[in-house]
Amino acid sequence: MEAAIAAKLDPQLRRAASERPDSVVGVLLRTAAPVGARERAALEAEGLAVGSVAGDIVTGRVRAAAAPRLARLPFVVYVEAAGRVYPTQPPDTPET
Amino acid sequence: MIRWSLTLAALLLALPPNFAAAQQRPGAPQLPPRVQARPYVDPALRMLLRPEVRRAVERAPELRRGRERADERRRAQPFGGGIALDRGGASGSARVGVLVRLREPVPAALAALRQAGAEIGTVVGDIATARVPLDGLDRLTAAVELERLEAARVLEAVHDSSLAAIRANEVRRREGSLWFGAAGYGVIVGVYDTGIDYRHEDFRDGTGRTRLLGLWDQTIAGTPPAGYNYGAFCTVASLDSGRCAQQDNNGHGTHVAGTAVGDGSASDQSGNAYRYAGVAPAADLLVVKGGDGSFETPQLIDGINWIFQTAAALGRPAVVNLSLGGQFGPRDGTSLFEQALDNLTGPGKIIVVAAGNDGQNGNAFDGSGQPTERYLFHGMATPGVGTIHEFQIEVPAYGAVSGTCNDYAFIELWYESGDLLDLTVVRPDGSSVTATHGSRMEEAHPKGMILIHNAYAERVEDRPDPQNGHYEALIEISDCGNSGPPESGIWTLRATATTATSGNPFHLWISASQFGQGGFARGVTANFTNSHVVGSPGTARKVVTVGAFASRLCWPTADGTRCYIHKEQPGDIARFSSAGPSRDGRLKPEITAPGIAIISALSRDADPPGTLVAPDGVHWAIAGTSMATPHVTGAVALLLQREPTLIPDSIKAILQRTTAQDEFTQHAYTGEPDGTPNYQWGYGKLDVARSLTDLESLPPATMIVDAGPVPAAASSTSIRGTRLPLLRLHLRTVGEETVRLLSTGLSVSGEDPEASLLLIHDLDGDAVFDSTEPVLAETAAEIRAGAASTIDLLPRGLDVAPSDSASVLIVLELSGKVPNGTTFRATYEPDRIRTVGIRSGANQVQQGVESVAAPPVQTTVLLPGEIFALSENPVRSGHVVFNFRERPRIAGVYSLNGGRIVDLLTRMATDGRVDWDLTNEQGERVAPGVYLVVFDIGGELVRRKLIIVRPAAARKE
């Protein structure tokens, strides 16, 4: 992977791209400018199933192997791997 | 009492329709003085004057039961329920409680009361309480010694102790299934969670219809909502009919939604209806199910986006509840996940997030009176060159789970760009692995694998996270690969700085661990703290983050009262509530709310232990900052009901100013000095009543208007003629309400009796109007030579939210009937601007300090040096207007191969202007394509390319 491309990828995505290339991963992308139809089409052409656009951030799902190709797009600034969040309820509720 | 009140209501409804009207007819003639001196009688008492109602009351079996229950209620609610009735009269006959205002002399008034058979209770000044037999009411209402008779009310039980703790019960009242006051009307509450039991009665209105406006289940296949490509959308119809397939098997989402907006009506069969109503029981709901026990961040963003999009389409404000979080990321608000949340917020778009359950209460005890064991997993230290910082982590004794990668601890470490750290992990047996800055090391081992990614990247410049410039290191201790399970005992993490210039601490978190069945790693050295453990997205900048306190420790069940073994002092911070600040030092959480033993809606698809289920069987008690968060979400809904365009900063400011303080809120278990705000409590405890009062008492906001000229380059023409930009107004709101621009005025001189003035919203603020920017106002402008015309523009819907701004352009659109070279002058007239505060209704405006009024603007149809302008190019509107500085010698449109399409001179209606309808010399429409405009002015032959996108049919005028 080219260094300039790797720099745009979250370390976890770099790892996924090399170790689990066929897995489908959730991603968040920061773009240099608001995403229009042309940019959206470019993202979809690289395999991103676009979820939503929140200002300069786009959500979607993509094969891990395609993540570097997303990073190669000139208007993509950074690609972050999906995190996982949980209900904020303590795991146990002791009682008498 | 509820049932009895409903009975009375039904009887009242059954009365003849002229009954109420007969009591107080507008315009009725003045009554004789003696009749006027009768007391005013509360309408609720008037119905008891009717014999058939009194007979029904005497027969009612619920009367005694209602009274007993009312007597049991310990706390009063200031807004009433039913009338206070009992059977304390002679032979068990019915009596009604009254409050009486007495006329002077008081002894005579009391005597009149007694004569009516009343049993007098308390007399305070000129007011007396009494119980009156129903058959004595007639006499009382005729007693001239009395001024006013008011029915005593049975005050309803507080819905739940958590609502009393935040004074949410003081801002609304209920009659039957209807809520009055601050109950969330008009506001949408969004819940992204484990789903909802949408059939639960708490989420249905008084007619049995769903209160959900839609539901998106992201976890199952089906028809997604418009604009998305996964999951299944349930319509209101499918929710009403029970055909929506979504289920909340976890129960968390249903409980959370119930606290925010449930109306508590599901308890009806138990005779205890509405006891567990939520904070905003009249708000509407949008629900996204993102998973059964965990959620992915991109889908979470999609869900919130959908909620806000749906609310916007309905023209409604929305607040989204996120009772979720995770320990990952930079925790400084710079992750794309957290920034996406920030991007989604705005006026009337608020997000409330749980702080997390990773905190400690240093004053909590277990069932045997021992202090609750502490689990610290955040460490920090300020690096110095040559200094070795050691963090000791205890891996408990455990029975390893069979298989690989299931006994582990993950450690995340963030350090700033001015520092370079080498990291070493030492096993209990003394063996170790070191990864220098920028490297990756992995070692399989019988006593546990160690993997260290220390800001690993090939190029030095790629090592920092581009979002914040900081370095991230990931450490994994596990039984992955060929390694054995990590050894129990003390593991040591050493951080050694080779460069240390930032002066700021580095932070590490044991972000996840699991050893055997329920064993966790924890920090044991003094450099582990109870601070900085608010999870993500709780550290996002524009969300409201909520911690939890203990409003109570026990809850009722069918088998009696249950309590938690681990106990805080009632009123103190919950033993699990995560403390801040964020890694970049911002105050988090901002506020706290009840989060222990919170009783709310129980999903029929969840299966909790019976010890958690309330006696009614449809509510249950759980704890967590998850449970505190919807209290604040509901409170925000109440604020949005009053002021729908509040922005996150305004919400935070109101909550900050109005929190409740007590001896507990002064103390944080984070090692910081006593006082508020602090990193455990934020600004303190949620106080709903005070926050609404604060909103109402806010001074009106002010709109500041700066006027100025528009750059000459902004001039252009339109399909209806030349558009001349005259003035630019920059509007901004200072205060905490949205201000609406009602009108603005200016004077214009020049000559064009058929011109128009436009007010255009300059959305991108570039002072150049284009076809996508909306026209907010348009008015005829009769501009005649010799005198300036004063013209007002009345915009449609230009609201400027608190701390927001907007730019508008005032543009003159000429009729096309004036000669080129005509000069216009415009002067902004500050006295003519009118605004109104959406909340306060105040008309208040303040001119900008730097430019009180714009200087006169002078312009011409064509700017100096211009000889030609087009209304649009490419042409999409079906026609195009040509403006020439002077009548050309030749002017025509040609195809690219030189064939003439039209001679413009033959169509030139006024000097220098042609409105071409895109037909050729044979009157046929020209085809879309590229053409050439050729003309000759002053001997200069000019060629311009003209692109026609749509032919003439599309013309609109």
Side-chain angles (χ1 to χ4, degrees):
Chain A
M1 192 183 302
E2 298 165 37
I5 303 304
K8 288 187 183 182
L9 289 176
D10 178 336
Q12 292 188 49
L13 270 181
R14 284 182 229 158
R15 192 170 167 184
S18 63
E19 296 177 5
R20 306 186 307 276
D22 290 328
S23 60
V24 175
V25 292
V27 293
L28 298 107
L29 301 92
R30 183 192 294 283
T31 56
V35 172
R38 184 180 302 176
E39 290 80 12
R40 185 176 176 127
L43 292 169
E44 288 173 343
E46 297 301 347
L48 182 74
V50 174
S52 53
V53 177
D56 60 353
I57 297 171
V58 182
T59 69
R61 297 183 73 76
V62 69
R63 277 184 64 238
R69 293 206 299 273
L70 291 174
R72 199 179 297 277
L73 294 169
F75 60 87
V76 171
V77 176
Y78 192 70
V79 189
E80 181 176 293
R84 193 158 276 279
V85 290
Y86 304 87
T88 35
Q89 184 191 347
D92 60 342
T93 49
E95 71 229 26
T96 57
Chain B
M1 197 64 229
I2 302 295
R3 193 164 296 162
W4 174 237
S5 298
L6 292 174
T7 306
L8 282 179
L11 285 167
L12 189 58
L13 287 172
L15 294 173
N18 63 348
F19 173 78
Q23 306 305 306
Q24 198 167 26
R25 263 199 310 266
Q30 289 289 302
L31 298 170
R34 177 164 172 71
V35 179
Q36 264 189 326
R38 289 181 172 189
Y40 168 82
V41 180
D42 179 346
L45 283 178
R46 286 182 209 157
M47 64 182 177
L48 291 173
L49 298 175
R50 295 180 63 84
E52 65 270 31
V53 175
R54 287 208 294 258
R55 282 197 296 272
V57 171
E58 293 286 7
R59 285 198 304 266
E62 296 92 343
L63 192 57
R64 176 169 292 280
R65 182 173 166 232
R67 184 199 171 196
E68 287 169 350
R69 286 229 322 276
D71 290 345
E72 286 168 8
R73 291 170 175 149
R74 287 173 295 137
R75 295 200 215 189
Q77 187 179 337
F79 299 102
I83 299 172
L85 293 156
D86 66 31
R87 289 195 194 280
S91 306
S93 61
R95 298 187 307 178
V96 60
V98 292
L99 291 103
V100 187
R101 182 180 292 280
L102 312 166
R103 287 201 171 106
E104 294 289 352
V106 168
L110 293 174
L113 268 177
R114 290 191 190 96
Q115 284 169 10
E119 179 186 322
I120 297 171
T122 303
V123 180
V124 181
D126 61 350
I127 296 176
T129 66
R131 290 196 171 273
V132 186
L134 296 189
D135 56 12
L137 273 178
D138 285 331
R139 180 176 288 191
L140 272 193
T141 58
V144 295
E145 296 86 355
L146 310 179
E147 183 178 322
R148 181 183 175 91
L149 283 167
E150 192 174 292
R153 308 286 175 152
V154 175
L155 302 179
E156 291 195 345
V158 167
H159 295 75
D160 185 50
S161 71
S162 70
L163 264 65
I166 60 172
R167 298 211 300 152
N169 54 321
E170 296 179 24
V171 299
R172 78 229 187 154
R173 64 188 173 87
R174 183 182 57 79
E175 289 179 14
S177 61
L178 288 178
W179 297 89
F180 296 89
Y185 281 105
V187 181
I188 290 174
V189 170
V191 175
Y192 188 99
D193 214 288
T194 60
I196 188 170
D197 175 4
Y198 65 87
R199 293 175 290 173
H200 198 288
E201 289 298 319
D202 284 4
F203 307 119
R204 295 196 169 246
D205 65 18
T207 67
R209 301 199 59 174
T210 183
R211 293 172 53 212
L212 276 75
L213 302 177
L215 186 155
W216 179 12
D217 186 345
Q218 296 182 326
T219 67
I220 60 175
T223 304
Y228 297 88
N229 51 22
Y230 63 97
F233 173 66
C234 291
T235 62
V236 170
S238 69
L239 295 164
D240 261 338
S241 63
R243 285 182 287 106
C244 174
Q246 180 272 167
Q247 292 185 331
D248 178 12
N249 302 311
N250 181 305
H252 184 267
T254 300
H255 191 282
V256 162
T259 302
V261 304
D263 71 1
S265 59
S267 308
D268 194 35
Q269 297 307 310
S270 72
N272 213 3
Y274 304 99
R275 182 176 182 83
Y276 302 124
V279 181
D284 292 317
L285 253 178
L286 284 170
V287 174
V288 182
K289 175 175 178 174
D292 285 312
S294 68
F295 319 101
E296 266 202 9
T297 53
Q299 295 187 358
L300 172 56
I301 298 299
D302 295 348
I304 299 169
N305 196 30
W306 173 75
I307 290 168
F308 284 143
Q309 286 172 333
T310 306
L314 296 169
R316 310 263 293 271
V319 51
V320 176
N321 188 88
L322 297 181
S323 287
L324 46 80
Q327 284 294 345
F328 64 92
R331 299 163 175 86
D332 61 359
T334 64
S335 71
L336 297 192
F337 171 43
E338 293 193 336
Q339 291 199 11
L341 289 182
D342 290 347
N343 287 352
L344 289 172
T345 63
K349 295 191 289 186
I350 310 297
I351 299 173
V352 184
V353 181
N357 301 323
D358 297 318
Q360 308 289 321
N361 176 328
N363 198 28
F365 297 88
D366 64 18
S368 61
Q370 296 300 309
T372 296
E373 217 171 350
R374 302 185 85 195
Y375 279 82
L376 298 175
F377 60 89
H378 163 262
M380 59 190 288
T382 301
V385 175
T387 305
I388 299 173
H389 300 279
E390 283 200 353
F391 297 84
Q392 293 187 345
I393 297 165
E394 179 190 68
V395 171
Y398 67 102
V401 178
S402 63
T404 62
C405 288
N406 47 26
D407 296 302
Y408 57 83
F410 293 113
I411 300 163
E412 231 182 314
L413 195 147
W414 284 85
Y415 53 100
E416 299 209 0
S417 53
D419 308 326
L420 300 177
L421 299 185
D422 294 341
L423 301 174
T424 299
V425 177
V426 185
R427 297 186 184 86
D429 69 356
S431 60
S432 65
V433 173
T434 296
T436 57
H437 172 80
S439 72
R440 175 187 185 281
M441 293 299 292
E442 179 176 351
E443 183 188 76
H445 193 278
K447 294 188 175 177
M449 187 193 81
I450 295 174
L451 168 68
I452 307 174
H453 272 262
N454 186 358
Y456 170 60
E458 290 174 13
R459 298 192 312 172
V460 171
E461 56 268 39
D462 296 340
R463 290 173 186 166
D465 182 328
Q467 308 304 316
N468 56 18
H470 298 174
Y471 299 115
E472 179 183 13
L474 298 169
I475 298 168
E476 181 181 323
I477 299 165
S478 73
D479 58 351
C480 288
N482 297 322
S483 296
E487 185 179 14
S488 297
I490 300 298
W491 291 63
T492 303
L493 169 63
R494 287 195 191 118
T496 308
T498 57
T499 301
T501 62
S502 77
N504 293 322
F506 63 90
H507 297 260
L508 67 90
W509 290 267
I510 308 169
S511 51
S513 71
Q514 177 179 304
F515 293 99
Q517 304 295 336
F520 302 102
R522 60 175 168 178
V524 294
T525 39
N527 44 16
F528 279 90
T529 75
N530 185 35
S531 64
H532 296 85
V533 290
V534 170
S536 180
T539 50
R541 292 167 193 269
K542 293 187 179 176
V543 306
V544 181
T545 306
V546 184
F549 68 88
S551 60
R552 66 175 174 196
L553 305 173
C554 302
W555 62 95
T557 73
D559 298 326
T561 299
R562 299 276 177 169
C563 302
Y564 291 104
I565 292 172
H566 295 272
K567 293 179 173 62
E568 309 83 347
Q569 297 294 312
D572 201 357
I573 198 80
R575 57 190 176 275
F576 46 75
S577 185
S578 289
S582 62
R583 190 169 62 87
D584 57 326
R586 283 173 293 117
L587 184 73
K588 290 283 180 178
E590 284 99 353
I591 195 165
T592 57
I596 300 265
I598 303 303
I599 302 179
S600 184
L602 169 61
S603 169
R604 72 195 62 204
D605 301 311
D607 187 22
T611 50
L612 298 177
V613 178
D616 63 12
V618 289
H619 295 90
W620 63 313
I622 45 177
T625 51
S626 276
M627 283 62 246
T629 305
H631 286 88
V632 176
T633 297
V636 171
L638 306 187
L639 292 171
L640 290 175
Q641 177 186 335
R642 299 275 173 87
E643 169 56 76
T645 58
L646 285 172
I647 60 174
D649 285 347
S650 300
I651 294 276
K652 288 188 187 189
I654 292 168
L655 295 177
Q656 170 189 337
R657 280 194 298 268
T658 60
T659 49
Q661 310 290 329
D662 58 24
E663 69 272 26
F664 294 110
T665 60
Q666 301 299 311
H667 181 69
Y669 298 98
T670 54
E672 60 191 299
D674 280 357
T676 51
N678 58 57
Y679 297 138
Q680 193 106 48
W681 291 93
Y683 288 101
K685 297 176 175 177
L686 174 65
D687 185 334
V688 171
R690 211 170 150 215
S691 69
L692 287 167
T693 305
D694 181 82
L695 179 62
E696 287 163 0
S697 65
L698 287 177
T702 297
M703 180 177 277
I704 296 179
V705 182
D706 292 312
V710 181
S715 179
S716 76
T717 58
S718 78
I719 59 172
R720 291 173 55 179
T722 302
R723 282 184 172 182
L724 301 176
L726 300 178
L727 288 164
R728 179 190 192 192
L729 304 183
H730 184 72
L731 320 169
R732 59 194 163 97
T733 294
V734 177
E736 291 179 5
E737 69 172 324
T738 294
V739 179
R740 177 169 295 167
L741 179 66
L742 296 177
S743 68
T744 185
L746 73 162
S747 62
V748 187
S749 62
E751 185 174 12
D752 187 348
E754 297 179 31
S756 297
L757 270 178
L758 310 177
L759 191 68
I760 294 177
H761 198 169
D762 184 21
L763 290 172
D764 52 13
D766 65 354
V768 178
F769 52 87
D770 57 51
S771 59
T772 63
E773 288 174 331
V775 176
L776 300 173
E778 180 175 3
T779 189
E782 190 177 326
I783 305 168
R784 298 190 180 279
S789 303
T790 299
I791 299 156
D792 288 320
L793 282 157
L794 311 176
R796 296 179 291 271
L798 182 59
D799 293 347
V800 183
S803 308
D804 207 353
S805 64
S807 283
V808 294
L809 302 173
I810 299 176
V811 174
L812 183 66
E813 187 168 80
L814 299 177
S815 66
K817 296 179 180 176
V818 296
N820 290 332
T822 306
T823 298
F824 294 88
R825 298 166 66 91
T827 303
Y828 167 62
E829 300 212 346
D831 292 344
R832 302 191 73 84
I833 199 155
R834 297 284 180 270
T835 65
V836 63
I838 298 291
R839 171 184 49 79
S840 65
N843 301 109
Q844 190 171 353
V845 64
Q846 180 179 330
Q847 306 307 322
V849 175
E850 293 181 3
S851 78
V852 172
V857 174
Q858 182 174 4
T859 187
T860 59
V861 171
L862 291 175
L863 295 172
E866 281 189 338
I867 59 171
F868 167 71
L870 278 170
S871 61
E872 61 178 6
N873 190 11
V875 182
R876 293 187 171 87
S877 60
H879 73 142
V880 59
V881 178
F882 300 83
N883 271 291
F884 298 96
R885 188 183 65 199
E886 59 193 60
R887 186 178 178 86
R889 212 162 53 80
I890 60 166
V893 178
Y894 295 82
S895 63
L896 292 179
N897 60 15
R900 192 171 75 184
I901 304 298
V902 66
D903 179 358
L904 292 175
L905 292 181
T906 64
R907 304 194 181 195
M908 199 165 281
T910 59
D911 266 4
R913 185 169 186 275
V914 180
D915 187 346
W916 183 39
D917 62 0
L918 308 189
T919 58
N920 62 18
E921 291 179 350
Q922 287 74 44
E924 300 160 340
R925 291 173 192 163
V926 300
V930 180
Y931 297 85
L932 286 176
V933 182
V934 181
F935 60 90
D936 182 331
I937 290 180
E940 182 184 356
L941 190 65
V942 179
R943 290 184 184 85
R944 295 278 172 83
K945 202 178 283 182
L946 178 69
I947 302 169
I948 297 176
V949 176
R950 277 197 205 108
R955 176 171 181 162
K956 293 179 210 166
E957 213 168 330

